[in-house]
Amino acid sequence: MAHKKLQLPEKICEVCQKSFAWRKKWARDWEQVKYCSERCRRNTKKTTNERF
């Protein structure tokens, strides 16, 4: 059964700067979500050190 996706809220990942949409697994803590994936979360220290 096909269905249309609803307009889901989006954010910008702090590491890769790509936009990502809301997921059901983030329903309880959407306000605290900062990264689009586990990979970006793990690479946050590497990226921040390269910027400065």
Side-chain angles (χ1 to χ4, degrees):
M1 179 187 306
H3 62 278
K4 295 181 181 178
K5 283 191 173 183
L6 303 172
Q7 277 299 94
L8 301 174
E10 292 186 351
K11 288 188 177 185
I12 304 294
C13 178
E14 291 185 4
V15 176
C16 67
Q17 300 299 309
K18 294 182 182 178
S19 82
F20 62 97
W22 180 90
R23 292 184 184 178
K24 188 174 181 177
K25 69 179 185 178
W26 294 330
R28 283 184 272 148
D29 58 351
W30 176 244
E31 296 300 318
Q32 288 78 35
V33 174
K34 298 178 184 178
Y35 312 108
C36 63
S37 65
E38 188 66 24
R39 183 178 181 182
C40 277
R41 187 187 65 79
R42 278 189 246 121
N43 289 333
T44 191
K45 293 177 185 172
K46 292 177 186 175
T47 317
T48 55
N49 289 339
E50 291 173 3
R51 290 183 188 170
F52 300 109

